[in-house]
Amino acid sequence: MPRPYVFPTCSFFPRDVAFAPVTRGTLALLVAAGVAAAPAVAQIDASVGLGVGTVRYPGGASFGSAVLSPAFRYASPAFAIDVSGAVASLPGSVWSSQARASFWGVTQPLAGALRLGGEATLAGTTLSDDGSTGAAHGMAELLWSAAAGGVGVGAGPSTGLISGGLPVVALHTRARAWWRPGDAPGAPDLQLALEPTRFPDGWFTDASVGATLEHGRAVVSVSIAGRIAAAHGSKAAGSVSLQWFVAPRVSVELGGGSSLNDPYQDLPRAGFISLGVRLHRSPRPAVGDAPAMKLSPLVAEIRGDSVVVRFRMPGARSVAIAGDWNGWEQVALRPLGDDVWEKTLALRRGIYHFNLLVDWSDWVVPNGVATVSDGLGGMVAVLVVP
């Protein structure tokens, strides 16, 4: 086997570990944490996986065994960090390792639903006997979001480095959109991206479409990508992954498909398959498995040009509300007596999401109110303004 620069591409590794030159890995995180469905309070999630899967390197790919893959994620309404890595055993007693870190941030609304966002991604690979590669990507972006989705356009530099070679630098641009049709817990998350990149030997454009569906214990992700490059020809790739929670903190993961080549780390287009078990720090919320109460969204009371919401919070000393209508900014409610708290809001007709902060320490969803996933392991309540 040649002395490879290895890079694990299997979806068993922390989601989106397979690093494409257009930084697709950050797209799911941005959609979930970024603009329309950010958590109302900071969340931390960590996990570790063990399994087998395909490893690719310049010139080919081979099967890796005893793959250990830790992952860590921190997400707040305005900032997120996603760190993952993997160590894999290759034939010939060769060990490969890889790491990836994505950082994301967004400003408060500039005008209406417009915001500025920024992200940075670092990725690298090493081989136990020789060779290493690395890549870095930056992006500044203008974002517009609504309750069900949004769009973003941006640009930034990208660079890559392979052992023994000179670094390459490219201009990476991106236009993307995300959409969640409906507010039911099983509604899919859809993403679309178009990314022209000015590489040293000419332009190439990547287009990708993906969908993630959570239903009961299962999380299914499907993606299709294509590349148009005048100098090197056009290519296509696709993948599908299944994550099945056999217990609240234990999931089995299976993935397969193909990935586009990575010109920054000189990794070829290759097919892959993977299988593993992952242990999670936080239990997955039980959604859809057991007979559930039929909950309804909170319907606001119309009062002139405003709406009124009320909640009963026995024993609470203070209650604040935060929602997607104001960037999850905390706003205090006023007590009415008998454990009832009230707030008047200036909201148009539509569907919104919110949580309550009780005694400035505990985020809670009001009893009896329908909820949806925030995309990061938590739940947010649903508010309807008729």
Side-chain angles (χ1 to χ4, degrees), residues 79-383:
F79 183 74
I81 303 175
D82 204 15
V83 181
S84 59
V87 179
S89 175
L90 298 178
S93 301
V94 176
W95 286 89
S96 72
S97 62
Q98 66 88 40
R100 173 197 173 104
S102 296
F103 308 88
W104 168 89
V106 68
T107 66
Q108 292 294 321
L110 302 177
L114 287 177
R115 301 173 184 234
L116 287 178
E119 67 181 82
T121 301
L122 305 174
T125 71
T126 60
L127 195 64
S128 60
D129 57 353
D130 186 28
S132 63
T133 68
H137 304 262
M139 175 73 67
E141 195 170 24
L142 180 64
L143 302 160
W144 177 90
S145 69
V151 296
V153 292
S158 293
T159 184
L161 179 64
I162 303 170
S163 292
L166 296 176
V168 296
V169 180
L171 171 64
H172 171 211
T173 64
R174 180 175 68 193
R176 64 188 180 96
W178 59 96
W179 179 45
R180 185 186 180 112
D183 289 287
D189 290 309
L190 307 176
Q191 306 98 37
L192 174 67
L194 185 66
E195 313 192 45
T197 299
R198 180 64 169 88
F199 215 62
D201 58 353
W203 283 91
F204 67 85
T205 299
D206 284 4
S208 62
V209 59
T212 300
L213 175 65
E214 298 187 32
H215 183 74
R217 301 186 181 192
V219 181
V220 180
S221 297
V222 179
S223 67
I224 300 174
R227 176 173 298 160
I228 301 174
H232 304 287
S234 301
K235 308 174 181 68
S239 65
V240 59
S241 66
L242 169 65
Q243 182 182 48
W244 180 268
F245 280 82
V246 297
R249 297 177 186 267
V250 182
S251 65
V252 176
E253 302 180 3
L254 173 66
S258 60
S259 54
L260 295 173
N261 66 298
D262 180 350
Y264 297 99
Q265 300 189 81
D266 196 26
L267 303 173
R269 181 183 182 276
F272 68 89
I273 189 171
S274 61
L275 174 65
V277 176
R278 180 164 295 277
L279 305 178
H280 301 261
R281 170 184 175 269
S282 302
R284 173 179 170 83
V287 178
D289 288 334
M293 295 174 55
K294 290 186 177 180
L295 303 179
S296 299
L298 176 67
V299 179
E301 174 188 334
I302 304 298
R303 183 181 293 175
D305 294 333
S306 303
V307 298
V308 177
V309 292
R310 295 191 187 91
F311 307 95
R312 184 175 297 276
M313 291 290 163
R317 297 185 299 274
S318 67
V319 179
I321 189 171
D324 53 9
W325 57 83
N326 67 348
W328 297 98
E329 180 180 351
Q330 302 162 20
V331 179
L333 277 66
R334 68 185 185 93
L336 298 181
D338 295 329
D339 297 322
V340 176
W341 298 77
E342 181 185 86
K343 183 61 182 177
T344 301
L345 303 170
L347 298 179
R348 298 179 179 178
R349 295 180 59 184
I351 299 175
Y352 302 90
H353 305 94
F354 73 96
N355 269 349
L356 299 180
L357 179 61
V358 178
D359 295 338
W360 300 107
S361 60
D362 298 320
W363 286 97
V364 301
V365 173
N367 290 333
V369 177
T371 61
V372 296
S373 170
D374 65 6
L376 297 168
M379 306 298 290
V380 290
V382 179
L383 170 66

